[in-house]
Amino acid sequence: MQYDFFDPDGNYDLLYSYVKDKQLRRVIDIGAWWGPWSLWWHDKAQHVEIFEPNQQIIPKLKKNIKDLLNCKLYEVALGDKLGNVSMECASHSGTYHIKDTNGSISLKTLDSFEFDCVDIIKIDAEGYEVPVLEGARNTIIKNKPWIQIEGNKSGARYGRTKLDIMKFLLEIGMTRVTKKWPDQVWTFK
């Protein structure tokens, strides 16, 4: 299958060695972009739930996953409350991030979807990782998934650092098992 992408430096397989012998029921890709992480994992799990709010990239993402019957796309942003947001592009990186709460993009919590059988959650929300985690608290505690999360300086735009990610995950009982910039892998021991 030919996809409109590939980034050979992506950390798509960062946590694979930890789960390669497991039957993966559901993986969740938060901040899917054009789908490289979902595409790497789609044949390793029964269900892939894909979250991407950026209307500029969604057509390419839809094209890349159109033949993958186990993948479902949700065109919403995730955070710690329900509402609406707008997005903007950072000129230095070309990445989109949440600008404010005055937009047309739906904002939901992961908990509001009431997913079960969640084995892996990947979060790459361009600095919005902590609100995503806060809105996923019940899902994480109930399912005890592996989490692959991006942690870099982009949280500064929201007044947070990657240490806030670490603090949240440690407080709910998770342990970091590996990291490869900018991603970290966490699990419950």
Side-chain angles (χ1 to χ4, degrees), residues 7-170:
D7 174 6
D9 298 321
N11 288 335
Y12 317 120
D13 64 345
L14 185 59
L15 66 79
Y16 182 65
S17 65
Y18 299 99
V19 299
K20 66 182 177 184
D21 296 325
K22 299 182 186 309
Q23 288 257 346
L24 299 175
R25 300 162 297 171
R26 184 178 316 279
V27 300
I28 299 175
D29 185 355
I30 301 169
W33 197 18
W34 36 255
W37 195 89
S38 291
L39 293 169
W40 199 89
W41 283 94
H42 86 273
D43 62 348
K44 298 163 185 63
Q46 292 174 5
H47 304 281
V48 180
E49 313 296 346
I50 303 169
F51 290 86
E52 178 54 58
N54 180 353
Q55 295 300 308
Q56 303 297 315
I57 199 70
I58 285 175
K60 186 177 276 192
L61 175 57
K62 284 181 175 179
K63 180 180 178 187
N64 285 338
I65 66 169
K66 71 179 174 18
D67 296 325
L68 306 178
L69 301 179
N70 67 330
C71 292
K72 183 172 181 182
L73 174 61
Y74 303 84
E75 296 179 38
V76 301
L78 292 178
D80 57 348
K81 58 187 170 194
L82 303 179
N84 289 298
V85 295
S86 65
M87 298 185 77
E88 70 180 354
C89 184
S91 59
H92 67 282
S93 65
T95 60
Y96 282 79
H97 60 273
I98 291 177
K99 176 182 174 186
D100 57 40
T101 57
N102 298 315
S104 61
I105 300 168
S106 180
L107 178 69
K108 297 187 177 194
T109 66
L110 185 63
D111 288 345
S112 69
F113 290 87
E114 298 183 357
F115 289 122
D116 61 1
C117 303
V118 178
D119 294 313
I120 296 173
I121 299 174
K122 183 277 273 175
I123 305 170
D124 180 351
E126 300 306 322
Y128 213 65
E129 286 79 11
V130 172
V132 170
L133 286 168
E134 290 168 351
R137 179 186 299 270
N138 295 334
T139 302
I140 295 167
I141 291 170
K142 173 185 165 191
N143 291 278
K144 301 203 177 329
W146 288 83
I147 294 179
Q148 181 171 330
I149 189 164
E150 184 178 75
N152 57 29
K153 295 180 181 180
S154 59
R157 68 172 57 103
Y158 305 109
R160 295 188 171 94
T161 71
K162 62 184 176 180
L163 294 176
D164 295 316
I165 295 169
M166 179 180 288
K167 181 181 175 193
F168 179 94
L169 294 171
L170 288 171

